[in-house]
């Protein structure tokens, strides 16, 4: 077995664009669920509208990359408003059903032939990278060492993504320490009590949905920076991965989503490299393809164990439970 290759391929995910994108989306989900108590199972849709909003702005309308990104963020906010107006009065599992249905609607709209000239259909969109890469401050060359060796474009994608993630974490930290954040956490615990104090619960929920949606859209933009925007990337498995990440790190924590993302992708990548090698060596009674899919089963088992034994996550506090009763 090639242990060097296994560990090298795993280490790449510590600071990959995928990891950074998921950390951003999980931070947005923490705003929705961890602090606001909104059972949102449609974060994949926010990532999709952010990524496609950016790509379509550049490809179809010839806008500069930075304006395309602002449009992607605005698309996340607009989608939050459209989704929230009819659904935020729902509670618990009803809201979860509505949001997961909305995410599937967005994914299917991206696949339909009606919008294919803008979305690219099932093939997706590519070739929108020139403007962003043209703004790269790093000279042409190779940077880093070992598994973290990048060319100038790869380094720029990671640096930009990390800056967005840092800005999002600081923003959430400041807001949750403010009176607005304290009201939001009160709504999470008992919205009827907060309503009795004269607060507009619906407005606070909407603000939470918009804020988390914009952060999720930022994750969607980082997600499509390295390669292409493809509808198949926004399936329901993406949402469930985000929930696993959120529960792993801690739903009502500032750094929990980022820590959960790193742990999730490192373990997921490690198993994705290890299990097929074990099967090839005859140590597992499966084919290499079957062995690779076992990691999805393990993710599901891990999610169940987290909910049962550690619902507050690694960084969470048992005194601050965030599950909707």
């Amino acid at each position: 077995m090639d242990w060097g290759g296994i560990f090298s391929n795993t280490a790449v995910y510590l600071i990959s664009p995928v990891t950074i994108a998921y950390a951003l989306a999980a931070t947005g989900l923490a705003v929705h669920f961890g602090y606001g108590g909104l059972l949102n199972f449609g974060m994949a849709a926010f990532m999709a509208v952010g990524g496609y909003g950016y790509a379509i702005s550049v490809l179809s309308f010839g806008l500069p990359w930075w304006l395309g990104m602002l449009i992607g963020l605005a698309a996340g906010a607009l989608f939050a408003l459209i989704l929230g107006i009819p659904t935020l009065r729902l509670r618990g599992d009803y809201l979860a059903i509505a949001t997961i249905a909305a995410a599937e609607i967005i994914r299917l709209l991206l696949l339909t032939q009606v919008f294919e000239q803008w979305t690219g259909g099932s093939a997706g969109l590519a070739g929108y990278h020139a403007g962003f890469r043209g703004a790269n401050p790093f000279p042409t060359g190779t940077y880093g060492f070992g598994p973290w060796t990048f060319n100038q474009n790869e380094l720029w994608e990671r640096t930009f993504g990390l800056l967005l993630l840092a800005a999002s974490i600081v923003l959430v930290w400041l807001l949750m320490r403010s009176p607005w954040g304290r009201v939001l956490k009160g709504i999470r615990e008992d919205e009827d009590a907060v309503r009795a104090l004269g607060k507009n619960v619906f407005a606070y929920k909407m603000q939470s949905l918009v804020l988390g949606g914009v952060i999720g859209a930022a994750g969607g933009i980082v997600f499509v920076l390295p390669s292409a925007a493809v509808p198949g990337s926004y399936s329901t498995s993406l949402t469930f991965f985000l929930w696993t990440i959120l529960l792993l790190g801690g739903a009502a924590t500032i750094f929990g989503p980022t820590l959960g993302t790193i742990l999730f992708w490192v373990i997921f990548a490690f198993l994705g490299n290890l299990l097929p090698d074990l099967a090839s060596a005859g140590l597992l009674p499966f084919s290499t393809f079957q062995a690779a899919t076992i990691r999805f089963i393990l993710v599901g088992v891990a999610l169940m164990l987290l909910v049962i034994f550690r619902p507050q996550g690694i960084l969470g506090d048992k005194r601050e439970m965030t599950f909707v009763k």
Side-chain angles (χ1 to χ4, degrees):
M1 292 177 56
D2 182 14
W3 288 104
I6 290 173
F7 286 113
S8 177
N9 292 335
T10 300
V12 169
Y13 279 88
L14 284 173
I15 52 172
S16 73
V18 171
T19 304
I20 298 169
Y22 271 70
L24 277 163
T27 301
L29 188 57
V31 174
H32 288 167
F33 178 69
Y35 294 107
L38 302 177
L39 203 59
N40 174 23
F41 275 81
M43 185 53 77
F46 289 97
M47 293 184 72
V49 297
Y52 269 86
Y54 163 60
I56 291 172
S57 298
V58 174
L59 286 177
S60 298
F61 300 100
L63 299 178
W65 67 272
W66 58 269
L67 184 55
M69 289 186 178
L70 290 178
I71 290 175
L73 298 179
L78 179 62
F79 178 71
L81 290 172
I82 295 173
L83 177 63
I85 290 172
T87 64
L88 282 184
R89 301 189 188 279
L90 302 174
R91 295 198 184 191
D93 50 354
Y94 297 104
L95 179 60
I97 293 170
T99 52
I100 199 170
E104 278 299 286
I105 290 171
I106 292 295
R107 186 180 68 84
L108 293 174
L109 285 176
L110 295 175
L111 287 168
T112 185
Q113 291 184 348
V114 176
F115 305 110
E116 189 172 359
Q117 68 181 100
W118 296 289
T119 65
S122 59
L125 296 174
Y128 47 81
H129 307 92
F132 176 74
R133 291 175 180 175
N136 189 349
F138 300 105
T140 301
T142 302
Y143 301 84
F145 59 92
W148 303 290
T149 301
F150 315 114
N151 61 34
Q152 69 281 0
N153 291 326
E154 293 169 336
L155 181 61
W156 174 223
E157 291 159 2
R158 286 161 173 79
T159 301
F160 184 81
L162 288 172
L163 289 174
L164 280 181
L165 178 59
S168 299
I169 290 173
V170 171
L171 176 63
V172 172
W173 179 72
L174 291 173
L175 286 174
M176 295 312 157
R177 289 167 56 91
S178 70
W180 181 86
R182 289 192 287 272
V183 172
L184 190 65
K185 287 184 278 190
I187 293 171
R188 176 195 67 198
E189 299 300 331
D190 190 340
E191 67 176 72
D192 292 329
V194 174
R195 188 178 290 110
L197 294 174
K199 300 294 184 181
N200 188 333
V201 170
F202 180 83
Y204 276 89
K205 284 184 175 182
M206 181 63 76
Q207 293 161 17
S208 169
L209 189 66
V210 170
L211 174 62
V214 170
I215 297 174
I221 292 172
V222 174
F223 191 63
V224 302
L225 283 181
S227 54
V230 182
S233 302
Y234 306 102
S235 62
T236 52
S237 61
L238 187 155
T239 293
F240 290 116
F241 284 176
L242 288 173
W243 274 94
T244 303
I245 287 167
L246 184 66
L247 297 179
L248 177 61
T253 61
I254 298 298
F255 296 104
T258 300
L259 175 63
T261 303
I262 294 172
L263 291 175
F264 174 85
W265 276 110
V266 166
I267 295 172
F268 197 69
F270 178 73
L271 292 175
N273 287 279
L274 175 65
L275 295 176
D277 275 18
L278 290 175
S280 298
L283 300 176
L284 288 178
F286 308 108
S287 68
T288 55
F289 176 78
Q290 290 171 330
T293 60
I294 292 176
R295 59 180 175 164
F296 293 96
I297 299 174
L298 296 177
V299 167
V301 173
L303 180 57
M304 291 188 291
L305 294 176
L306 278 170
V307 172
I308 296 170
F309 297 108
R310 186 75 184 180
Q312 72 273 21
I314 294 174
L315 298 182
D317 189 338
K318 288 185 177 180
R319 295 171 297 178
E320 191 172 7
M321 298 299 293
T322 62
F323 290 94
V324 177
K325 300 179 176 64

